[in-house]
Amino acid sequence: MDTTRKNSQDDHGHGLLGPRAEMAAAVGSGITYTAGMATKYLLDTPGWVPTTLFLATYVLGGFFTIRSAVQTIRRGRFEVDFLMLVAAAGAAAVGKWAEGSVLLFLFSLGHALEEYAMSRAQRSISALGELAPRTALVRRGPDRVDQVDIEELRVGDTVVVLPNSRLSADGIVVAGFSAIDESSVTGESMPVEKQPVADASAALTARTPVPEAHRVFAGTLNGSGALEVLVTSRAEDSTLARVIAMVRDADTQKSPTQRFIDRFQLVYVPAVIAGVLAVIGFGVLVLSEPFADSFYRGMVVLVAASPCALAIATPSAVLAGVARAAQAGVLAKGGGPLESLGRVKSIAFDKTGTLTWGQPRVTDVVAVRPELRELLVSTVVAVESFSDHPLAAAITRDLALEVPVGAELAATDVNSVTGRGVTAVVDGVSVEIGNLTMFTELDPYGVPDDVAATVEHLHLLGRTTMIVRLGGTYLGVIGVMDTPRAEAGPVIAQLRTLGITDMVVISGDNQRVADAVADGLGLDGAHGGLLPEDKVSMIATLNARGGTAMVGDGVNDAPAMVNSSVGIAMGASGSAVALETADVALMTDDIGRLPFAVALSRRSAAIIRQNLIVALVIVAGLVPATLIGLPIGPAVFIHEGSTLLVVANALRLLRFRRGEEHAGIAHEARPA
């Protein structure tokens, strides 16, 4: 897309019709052009009727082009927009209103279509900012809490965080216990248990990072416990604020393709203008022919050299490619992403919500002895059915149907042990369900060796574990994990057949979980424990090896997306920020569409290359022909014929079929 045109629109708007004004003008120019051709060749009308209609086409098709050209001329630049205007004016000067009209119509339509496809910009920044509350509750004394704007927070303030509310600042927990959903910032799929730090003053001044159990971020969602948080950074310096800054900075950077187009226009347009002036001067000064004849020849050369086919070559392929992608549930925001995705050699996947469902599932039920399995399941379902913790919800959902009819147990006196687990009484017998830390504290002799070995094994597989003990007897271990989508493995295999040579997972989850997912899916690498800025650094490393795509769905993925060669967002589960920031969005929550998107992008890039070659070859052959006497009629016919040729070639993308039906990829329903 012409970046200068885009800038001028940003500066001056689109007028009364809003952002759709350019598209309306392009469609209007097409209507007037069609009417002009009909009145000129099909209907018996006075000569002024088609001329008036063609003049209206000039006005409608050239309005935005003129505005863009004026802006570039003020900056001392002559680009393709300007050349199109000169070509159209030259065609009108020699009485070829129809030829000039079709030039402006096609050019304005191509730019309007691409502008429309890429119009959803800048809103990502405001969406990011809405994650954090605008006010905070600051403790001023034992019995005093004031509500202040987050801009007034200072390092060292103590903020009160109510249950089920979003945090207003980055900080360290100094009082209270809770589980915090950090998926919006870190990508962590499981709520993270938080507890007070032992020495708040030492933690505030420590050079080493504060452990995860004590550290919290602005914009994350608190669970059922109240917390008091010692503020460690001002609002403008929070992790969320840095995410916003990274999105803003990356949004202003030009792509290599845009820079190439700018350089090409700087050379091509002045060269054509100079060539036309040279043709006119040569005819008048050297051949001594009348000025009118030399001017006519110059205008014929200008029409031949005008980049009509060149201008429509890419937008037509983009339009067909974007339309075909949309039919298959893929939103591509313009030609740049469509081409870039076809060139990538490596893909970085976020884990939570992308390769996995983003919801915990019971993956393992390991009883100490086989005959205890039924009792293990019945006990854990009876206790966890009283809890609203995400892990408890997973157990109730996945194991309730395994409890035989009539074997249901009743739990009473259910109490949560924050950061450890839960205790209860089942049929008069005490029950403890929790992590290894809980039982290490409860049992002075330590957990049995077989139970400890099971926990260690499941941890190596990336599971979150819960040990179950009934009346002092260990029943077994439950393993829970955010499991990969069923279609993720086949997707990885298909991407390899398409030539993607390096695929990694980058995640806010711990390294152990990232490794487990990567090993299970056959990825080439795993990088866990990453904050948004760490993901950006990892993308930069991958970009150094060649083009890299980033596939994600959360706010924490937005900076990595905008710093990658092409950002791809999951649709139904993707955050508004990720969808606005991404270059390509899978509109359904289906990663199985990714191979189709890559294959379509590669075909689109090939079509664009073919179109550009055809357009340049036609111009290269047509200009010499006009210099030796080819009249304007045949020149316009060949020139516009090349336009129809590249458009017809681009429309082949509408019949693109590869991978649309997942090529046998099994699609798994999202957990209830």
Side-chain angles (χ1 to χ4, degrees), residues 498-532:
L498 290 171
I500 306 299
T501 57
D502 188 15
M503 288 178 279
V504 301
V505 58
I506 59 177
S507 176
D509 268 345
N510 63 65
Q511 186 64 46
R512 171 173 46 81
V513 174
D515 287 336
V517 172
D519 292 341
L521 296 177
L523 296 173
D524 301 299
H527 306 278
L530 303 181
L531 291 175

Coordinates of all heavy atoms in Angstrom, one line a residue, residues 498-532:
L498 N 4.9 -27.9 4.3 CA 4.9 -26.6 3.6 C 6.2 -25.9 3.6 O 6.3 -24.8 3.1 CB 3.8 -25.7 4.2 CG 2.3 -26.2 3.9 CD1 1.3 -25.3 4.7 CD2 2.0 -26.1 2.4
G499 N 7.2 -26.4 4.3 CA 8.5 -25.8 4.3 C 8.9 -25.0 5.5 O 9.9 -24.3 5.5
I500 N 8.0 -25.1 6.6 CA 8.4 -24.4 7.8 C 9.4 -25.3 8.6 O 9.1 -26.4 9.0 CB 7.1 -24.1 8.7 CG1 6.0 -23.4 7.9 CG2 7.5 -23.4 9.9 CD1 6.4 -22.0 7.4
T501 N 10.6 -24.8 8.7 CA 11.7 -25.6 9.2 C 11.9 -25.4 10.7 O 12.6 -26.3 11.3 CB 13.0 -25.3 8.5 OG1 13.3 -23.9 8.6 CG2 12.8 -25.6 7.0
D502 N 11.5 -24.4 11.3 CA 11.8 -24.1 12.7 C 10.5 -23.7 13.5 O 10.0 -22.6 13.2 CB 12.8 -23.0 12.8 CG 13.3 -22.9 14.3 OD1 13.1 -23.8 15.1 OD2 14.0 -21.9 14.6
M503 N 10.0 -24.5 14.4 CA 8.8 -24.2 15.1 C 9.1 -24.3 16.6 O 9.5 -25.4 17.0 CB 7.6 -25.1 14.7 CG 7.1 -24.7 13.3 SD 5.7 -25.8 12.8 CE 6.7 -27.2 12.2
V504 N 8.7 -23.3 17.4 CA 9.0 -23.3 18.8 C 7.8 -22.8 19.6 O 6.9 -22.1 19.0 CB 10.2 -22.4 19.2 CG1 11.5 -22.9 18.4 CG2 9.9 -20.9 18.8
V505 N 7.7 -23.1 20.8 CA 6.7 -22.6 21.7 C 7.4 -21.6 22.7 O 8.4 -21.8 23.2 CB 6.0 -23.7 22.5 CG1 6.9 -24.5 23.3 CG2 4.9 -23.1 23.4
I506 N 6.7 -20.4 22.8 CA 7.2 -19.4 23.8 C 6.0 -19.1 24.7 O 4.9 -18.8 24.2 CB 7.8 -18.1 23.1 CG1 6.7 -17.5 22.2 CG2 9.0 -18.4 22.2 CD1 7.2 -16.2 21.6
S507 N 6.3 -19.2 26.0 CA 5.2 -19.1 26.9 C 5.5 -18.5 28.2 O 6.7 -18.5 28.6 CB 4.7 -20.6 27.2 OG 3.7 -20.6 28.1
G508 N 4.5 -18.0 28.9 CA 4.7 -17.5 30.3 C 4.7 -18.6 31.3 O 5.0 -18.4 32.4
D509 N 4.2 -19.8 30.9 CA 4.3 -20.9 31.8 C 5.7 -21.3 32.1 O 6.6 -20.9 31.4 CB 3.6 -22.1 31.1 CG 2.1 -22.2 31.5 OD1 1.7 -21.5 32.4 OD2 1.3 -22.9 30.8
N510 N 5.9 -22.1 33.1 CA 7.3 -22.5 33.5 C 7.9 -23.4 32.4 O 7.2 -24.0 31.6 CB 7.3 -23.1 34.9 CG 6.5 -24.4 34.9 OD1 6.8 -25.4 34.3 ND2 5.4 -24.4 35.7
Q511 N 9.2 -23.5 32.5 CA 9.9 -24.2 31.4 C 9.5 -25.7 31.3 O 9.4 -26.3 30.2 CB 11.4 -24.1 31.7 CG 12.3 -24.7 30.6 CD 12.2 -24.0 29.3 OE1 12.2 -22.7 29.2 NE2 12.0 -24.7 28.2
R512 N 9.2 -26.3 32.5 CA 8.8 -27.7 32.5 C 7.6 -27.9 31.7 O 7.5 -28.9 30.9 CB 8.6 -28.1 34.0 CG 8.1 -29.5 34.2 CD 8.1 -29.9 35.6 NE 7.6 -28.8 36.5 CZ 6.3 -28.6 36.7 NH1 5.4 -29.3 36.0 NH2 5.9 -27.6 37.5
V513 N 6.6 -27.1 31.9 CA 5.3 -27.2 31.1 C 5.6 -27.0 29.6 O 5.0 -27.7 28.8 CB 4.3 -26.3 31.7 CG1 3.0 -26.3 30.8 CG2 3.9 -26.6 33.1
A514 N 6.3 -25.9 29.3 CA 6.6 -25.6 27.9 C 7.3 -26.8 27.2 O 7.0 -27.2 26.1 CB 7.5 -24.4 27.8
D515 N 8.3 -27.4 27.9 CA 9.0 -28.6 27.4 C 8.1 -29.7 27.1 O 8.2 -30.4 26.1 CB 10.1 -29.0 28.4 CG 11.3 -28.1 28.4 OD1 11.5 -27.3 27.4 OD2 12.0 -28.1 29.4
A516 N 7.1 -30.0 28.1 CA 6.2 -31.1 27.9 C 5.3 -30.9 26.7 O 5.1 -31.8 25.9 CB 5.3 -31.2 29.1
V517 N 4.9 -29.7 26.4 CA 4.0 -29.4 25.3 C 4.8 -29.6 24.0 O 4.4 -30.2 23.0 CB 3.4 -28.0 25.4 CG1 2.7 -27.6 24.0 CG2 2.4 -28.0 26.5
A518 N 6.1 -29.0 24.0 CA 6.9 -29.1 22.8 C 7.3 -30.5 22.4 O 7.2 -30.9 21.3 CB 8.2 -28.3 23.0
D519 N 7.6 -31.3 23.4 CA 8.0 -32.7 23.2 C 6.8 -33.5 22.7 O 6.9 -34.3 21.8 CB 8.5 -33.4 24.5 CG 9.8 -32.8 24.9 OD1 10.5 -32.2 24.1 OD2 10.2 -32.9 26.1
G520 N 5.6 -33.2 23.2 CA 4.4 -33.9 22.8 C 4.0 -33.6 21.4 O 3.4 -34.5 20.7
L521 N 4.3 -32.4 20.9 CA 3.8 -32.0 19.6 C 4.9 -32.1 18.5 O 4.7 -31.8 17.4 CB 3.3 -30.6 19.6 CG 2.0 -30.4 20.5 CD1 1.6 -28.9 20.5 CD2 0.9 -31.2 20.0
G522 N 6.1 -32.4 19.0 CA 7.2 -32.5 18.0 C 7.8 -31.1 17.6 O 8.2 -31.0 16.4
L523 N 7.7 -30.1 18.4 CA 8.3 -28.8 18.1 C 9.8 -28.9 18.2 O 10.4 -29.7 18.9 CB 7.7 -27.8 19.0 CG 6.2 -27.5 18.9 CD1 5.7 -26.6 20.0 CD2 5.8 -27.0 17.5
D524 N 10.4 -27.8 17.7 CA 11.9 -27.8 17.7 C 12.5 -27.2 18.9 O 13.7 -27.2 19.1 CB 12.4 -27.0 16.4 CG 11.9 -27.7 15.1 OD1 12.2 -28.8 14.9 OD2 11.1 -27.0 14.4
G525 N 11.7 -26.5 19.7 CA 12.2 -25.9 20.9 C 11.1 -25.3 21.8 O 10.0 -25.2 21.4
A526 N 11.5 -25.1 23.0 CA 10.5 -24.5 24.0 C 11.2 -23.5 24.9 O 12.3 -23.7 25.3 CB 9.9 -25.6 24.9
H527 N 10.5 -22.4 25.1 CA 11.1 -21.3 25.9 C 10.0 -20.8 26.9 O 9.0 -20.2 26.5 CB 11.5 -20.1 25.0 CG 12.5 -20.5 23.9 ND1 13.8 -20.7 24.1 CD2 12.2 -20.9 22.6 CE1 14.4 -21.1 23.0 NE2 13.4 -21.2 22.1
G528 N 10.1 -21.2 28.1 CA 9.1 -20.9 29.1 C 9.5 -19.8 30.1 O 10.7 -19.3 30.0
G529 N 8.6 -19.3 30.9 CA 8.8 -18.3 31.9 C 9.1 -16.9 31.3 O 9.8 -16.1 31.9
L530 N 8.4 -16.6 30.2 CA 8.7 -15.4 29.4 C 7.6 -14.3 29.7 O 6.4 -14.6 29.6 CB 8.8 -15.6 27.9 CG 9.8 -16.7 27.5 CD1 9.8 -16.8 25.9 CD2 11.2 -16.3 27.9
L531 N 8.1 -13.1 30.0 CA 7.2 -12.0 30.1 C 7.1 -11.4 28.7 O 7.8 -11.8 27.8 CB 7.7 -10.9 31.1 CG 7.7 -11.3 32.6 CD1 8.4 -10.3 33.4 CD2 6.3 -11.5 33.0
P532 N 6.1 -10.4 28.5 CA 6.0 -9.9 27.1 C 7.3 -9.4 26.5 O 7.6 -9.6 25.3 CB 5.0 -8.8 27.3 CG 4.1 -9.2 28.4 CD 5.1 -10.0 29.4

